[in-house]
Amino acid sequence: MNNSLQLDIPKRGMPVTIITGFLGSGKTTLINQILHNKQNLKVAVLVNEFGDINIDSQLLVDINENMVELSNGCICCTLNEGLVDTVYQVLERDEKIDYLIIETTGLADPFPIMLTFLSTELKDLTHLDSVLTLVDCENFTPDHFDSEAAFKQIAYGDIILLNKTDLASQDQVDYLESYIKTINNGARVLRSEYSKIPLHLILDVNLSKLQPYSLEDNNNQHELQKIPRDHLINDGFTSISFQSKRPFSALKFQQNFIEKLPENIFRAKGILWFKESESKHIFQLSGKRYDMQVEEWSTTPTNQLVLIGRNLNPLMIQQDLTNCLTM
C-alpha cells in the first residue's frame, strides 16, 4: 500500500467514502477499479445493485443473495436492506474490512447518507472520510442538468473528480472547474480519464468537514437510516422501463430511436435483443454517447431497457420503442 494510505482504524472507526455523481459520470467504473485494487486493501463497497459491477471470474470467491466476495479480500454488497443494517453486516464479518465505500444513485442527494454516518449509532463505529463527486466533463453543463440533486452532489463534495477529460476540450474542462468552484470553493478538484485515479488521492484523505453529532431528539432519526428506494428527486426526473419478448430490428432501433433520441433523456441502460444477431447486447447510454458490449445469452432472449430523463413522455417513448420491434 502507498505509505500515504496508512489507515488508523482503531482511533477513528472504519473510514467511509461516499461516491456520488450525476447519471453516467463514471461511478461504476471507479468502483470496479477500487474492487480490483492490487494494494491489499480490503474494501467493502455498498451499491444499489451489483449487476453493473464487472467482477473478474478469477477474483470471484463466492456470491450469495446480496454479497459478492473476492479473492483479494474485498466484498460488494447490495443495499436491499436499510443502510445501517447493511453496514452492520460488514462490521460483523469475521474477516476485518479496512475501508467502506458507498455508491449513491445518479439522482441521489448525498446528504441523508452523510447524516446516517454522522448522527446514528454508526458515528461511533465509522469515520466519514470524504464525499467524492464524479463529473462527466463532456455532458455536464450548468444549464443541461438544472437539477437539485446534481447541485447538491457538487455542493457536498469534498473531492470533485472531473472525469472523461479525454472527451472534452481543455477550455471546456477549465470552464467546468471554474464553475464548480463558484458552488464549492473548498473542494479538492482532480481530473481523470476512465475514472482512473491513484487510490491514495481519494481514500483515507480525511477531508470531511462535517463532525458526528447527536439527533436523539429528532423524530426523523429512524428515517435517516434508510436510503429510499425511489431516488428520483422531485425536479422533473422520471424513469421509464421497457420490456418485450420480441426482438428489435437493428436498423429500426438505430434510425427510429438512437438517431431521434430526445435531448431530455440523459441515461439509459439495458439488455437488447436484435433479430439480426444471436448475441446479447449490453446497452449503455450517457448523454448522446452510447456503447454496446456483446455477450452470449445464458437466459431466454428478451429486451429490457431503462431510461432516465427530465419531463419525459412515457407513452411516446414506449411507442417509439415498440415501433422498433419486429413482428
Side-chain angles (χ1 to χ4, degrees):
M1 200 66 209
N2 189 298
N3 289 333
S4 61
L5 188 52
Q6 296 297 318
L7 304 182
D8 196 6
I9 293 168
K11 285 186 183 177
R12 299 181 297 166
M14 182 188 295
V16 177
T17 294
I18 298 171
I19 294 180
T20 188
F22 209 73
L23 302 162
S25 57
K27 296 186 297 298
T28 301
T29 305
L30 179 60
I31 294 293
N32 278 323
Q33 295 192 53
I34 292 173
L35 283 174
H36 285 74
N37 79 80
K38 302 294 191 292
Q39 300 172 314
N40 298 319
L41 185 67
K42 290 179 170 47
V43 175
V45 176
L46 307 191
V47 296
N48 289 283
E49 54 183 39
F50 45 57
D52 291 337
I53 304 297
N54 179 25
I55 302 300
D56 188 334
S57 59
Q58 295 178 344
L59 271 179
L60 190 60
V61 173
D62 186 38
I63 181 170
N64 60 36
E65 184 180 354
N66 72 327
M67 185 177 293
V68 169
E69 193 164 346
L70 306 180
S71 59
N72 63 3
C74 299
I75 61 170
C76 182
C77 301
T78 52
L79 284 167
N80 53 7
E81 303 291 337
L83 177 57
V84 172
D85 292 340
T86 306
V87 173
Y88 268 112
Q89 287 180 34
V90 172
L91 290 170
E92 291 168 358
R93 284 173 57 85
D94 291 337
E95 188 173 9
K96 188 185 71 163
I97 293 293
D98 298 320
Y99 212 97
L100 187 63
I101 309 283
I102 312 290
E103 180 193 9
T104 76
T105 68
L107 291 171
D109 175 355
F111 190 59
I113 305 169
M114 295 161 64
L115 282 182
T116 301
F117 289 97
L118 296 171
S119 63
T120 70
E121 63 267 33
L122 290 180
K123 70 179 185 294
D124 299 319
L125 303 169
T126 62
H127 161 73
L128 183 59
D129 186 66
S130 72
V131 174
L132 187 156
T133 304
L134 283 98
V135 174
D136 178 347
C137 288
E138 182 189 26
N139 287 312
F140 193 102
T141 67
D143 296 330
H144 196 149
F145 294 142
D146 181 22
S147 160
E148 182 184 359
F151 179 84
K152 287 185 175 178
Q153 288 166 2
I154 290 173
Y156 289 127
D158 301 302
I159 300 172
I160 309 293
L161 187 59
L162 298 178
N163 193 30
K164 307 186 185 182
T165 54
D166 54 314
L167 300 176
S169 68
Q170 181 75 38
D171 288 345
Q172 191 175 345
V173 178
D174 290 342
Y175 166 76
L176 193 53
E177 180 168 347
S178 298
Y179 169 73
I180 284 170
K181 286 182 176 177
T182 67
I183 298 174
N184 184 351
N185 192 38
R188 175 182 293 177
V189 180
L190 305 171
R191 300 186 180 193
S192 65
E193 300 177 13
Y194 306 104
S195 302
K196 291 181 180 176
I197 193 79
L199 294 191
H200 70 267
L201 294 179
I202 60 173
L203 300 184
D204 199 39
V205 290
N206 199 25
L207 288 176
S208 177
K209 305 168 189 67
L210 299 178
Q211 298 299 316
Y213 58 94
S214 174
L215 285 183
E216 291 177 359
D217 297 328
N218 190 330
N219 293 328
N220 295 321
Q221 181 179 357
H222 180 68
E223 296 305 312
L224 295 174
Q225 299 178 21
K226 300 176 181 177
I227 299 178
R229 294 189 182 275
D230 182 7
H231 296 268
L232 302 186
I233 306 299
N234 186 23
D235 53 5
F237 284 97
T238 51
S239 173
I240 298 172
S241 298
F242 178 86
Q243 297 187 53
S244 175
K245 296 182 179 179
R246 287 191 285 150
F248 283 127
S249 157
L251 183 62
K252 287 181 179 178
F253 187 79
Q254 177 67 34
Q255 292 181 344
N256 299 337
F257 186 70
I258 293 295
E259 293 179 6
K260 297 179 179 178
L261 198 69
E263 289 283 344
N264 53 349
I265 291 180
F266 299 144
R267 188 80 167 93
K269 59 182 178 178
I271 298 170
L272 304 184
W273 174 27
F274 294 112
K275 184 179 181 181
E276 298 84 350
S277 173
E278 295 181 356
S279 300
K280 175 171 70 173
H281 290 71
I282 311 299
F283 177 71
Q284 297 268 5
L285 179 140
S286 179
K288 286 294 183 183
R289 190 176 62 253
Y290 72 92
D291 174 69
M292 284 201 210
Q293 301 291 328
V294 178
E295 295 181 3
E296 294 301 314
W297 288 103
S298 59
T299 59
T300 303
T302 183
N303 275 306
Q304 301 177 53
L305 189 60
V306 176
L307 307 102
I308 299 174
R310 166 176 271 157
N311 302 321
L312 300 179
N313 184 330
L315 291 177
M316 186 177 74
I317 291 172
Q318 294 270 4
Q319 188 59 54
D320 288 345
L321 288 167
T322 300
N323 292 341
C324 296
L325 297 170
T326 58
M327 299 302 293

